[in-house]
Amino acid sequence: MIEFSITLPFLAPLVLILIMLLIQWLLIYKDKVTLNAASFDAVRAGALNHGNMSKMKDALAQGMMPLFMSDSGGEPNALDVAAAYVKAKAHVELASEITVLNPTSEVFNKFKERRVYNSGVAIDEIPNDNLIYRKPTVITINSEKKLNIQDANLLQIEVDWCKRLEVPLADWVIGKVLTLTDVDPNPLSSKFVNFIPDEEQLKCSALGAVTSSAGDTSYSGYYITIKSYALIRMQTPYRM
């Protein structure tokens, strides 16, 4: 009992930090689950609209709206929903990125066909009609990739979302790790850290640094990158 009383003052700060880290992890997990669902909404919007990036971003913003809903004390009204959409849309534009993993420009150039519609406009697109009857001839895209027309009609996206760390203490601890830049992957080096931020994380860290220096409290602070992937078959011809 005496030993516990002596060590308690030293253990209390550590326990507090661990609790804060746990709360922050739960909030990150909640955003990750929301992002997974929103990413599928985004890829589905792309499949229905020729792979249009604007449509995918709009669907992503709608899917992430629950994270921006504010509790006004009563039932949400149209103004609350509109405000949440505006905030989500701004975050999509400033602090997220949608990358089309398939079809790439190489795939598009291999499978594209020029079609003239009733309006007289000629458009290059990957054909999507009668896929079940088209020959699954494999075409070499590059030295590492071979696809057929059915594979070319699979729309796959990667969504990178900058999640703000909002829990006190935990945001500083995690943020200091995520913003490491002067590190060395060599285990024998004095600067060795078993983590080097990737390009997406550096972008999120830069967002927090720039907005903090500009005095914008809406986006200031530390950020962590959350990734999500979604895959669906195209329901319209893919265009670039």
Side-chain angles (χ1 to χ4, degrees):
M1 188 66 181
I2 296 176
E3 292 83 356
F4 177 75
S5 300
I6 295 175
T7 57
L8 182 59
F10 300 97
L11 291 176
L14 179 60
V15 173
L16 177 61
I17 292 176
L18 291 176
I19 293 174
M20 292 298 186
L21 288 171
L22 177 61
I23 296 173
Q24 183 63 79
W25 182 87
L26 291 174
L27 293 175
I28 292 173
Y29 181 75
K30 180 194 70 172
D31 285 23
K32 168 62 174 172
V33 172
T34 306
L35 181 63
N36 286 344
S39 297
F40 182 76
D41 291 341
V43 76
R44 181 173 58 184
L48 295 173
N49 294 278
H50 308 285
N52 184 278
M53 182 60 69
S54 177
K55 296 290 186 181
M56 287 193 282
K57 287 185 175 181
D58 188 59
L60 179 64
Q62 293 181 42
M64 299 301 286
M65 279 174 55
L67 300 181
F68 297 91
M69 288 293 293
S70 58
D71 186 6
S72 57
E75 291 293 328
N77 53 43
L79 291 178
D80 294 331
V81 175
Y85 173 73
V86 171
K87 293 177 183 178
K89 186 69 174 178
H91 196 99
V92 167
E93 295 295 337
L94 294 174
S96 73
E97 184 176 5
I98 298 178
T99 304
V100 177
L101 302 179
N102 188 72
T104 61
S105 57
E106 287 182 307
V107 174
F108 181 79
N109 290 331
K110 290 287 186 179
F111 290 96
K112 68 180 180 180
E113 293 181 3
R114 172 152 293 193
R115 293 185 167 183
V116 180
Y117 286 85
N118 295 333
S119 60
V121 178
I123 301 176
D124 289 334
E125 58 188 23
I126 297 178
N128 180 258
D129 56 304
N130 302 316
L131 283 180
I132 192 174
Y133 300 110
R134 290 179 178 269
K135 292 183 179 180
T137 304
V138 176
I139 297 178
T140 301
I141 308 301
N142 51 48
S143 59
E144 299 179 352
K145 182 183 293 186
K146 296 181 179 180
L147 300 176
N148 56 33
I149 186 64
Q150 287 77 13
D151 296 330
N153 269 279
L154 292 174
L155 178 61
Q156 183 180 21
I157 65 171
E158 173 189 309
V159 180
D160 295 298
W161 182 267
C162 294
K163 158 67 178 172
R164 185 181 182 183
L165 305 175
E166 60 268 67
V167 178
L169 295 180
D171 62 341
W172 183 85
V173 173
I174 299 175
K176 284 301 180 182
V177 175
L178 295 177
T179 54
L180 290 175
T181 53
D182 187 21
V183 297
D184 193 332
N186 183 5
L188 301 179
S189 173
S190 60
K191 296 182 179 180
F192 169 71
V193 176
N194 194 24
F195 171 77
I196 297 180
D198 57 17
E199 182 180 352
E200 290 77 16
Q201 181 57 54
L202 291 175
K203 290 179 181 178
C204 291
S205 299
L207 172 67
V210 171
T211 52
S212 296
S213 62
D216 184 356
T217 58
S218 301
Y219 287 92
S220 60
Y222 293 108
Y223 286 82
I224 186 172
T225 304
I226 304 177
K227 288 181 179 289
S228 183
Y229 298 88
L231 175 71
I232 197 172
R233 187 171 296 283
M234 291 293 300
Q235 303 300 309
T236 54
Y238 184 82
R239 300 169 182 171
M240 294 192 77

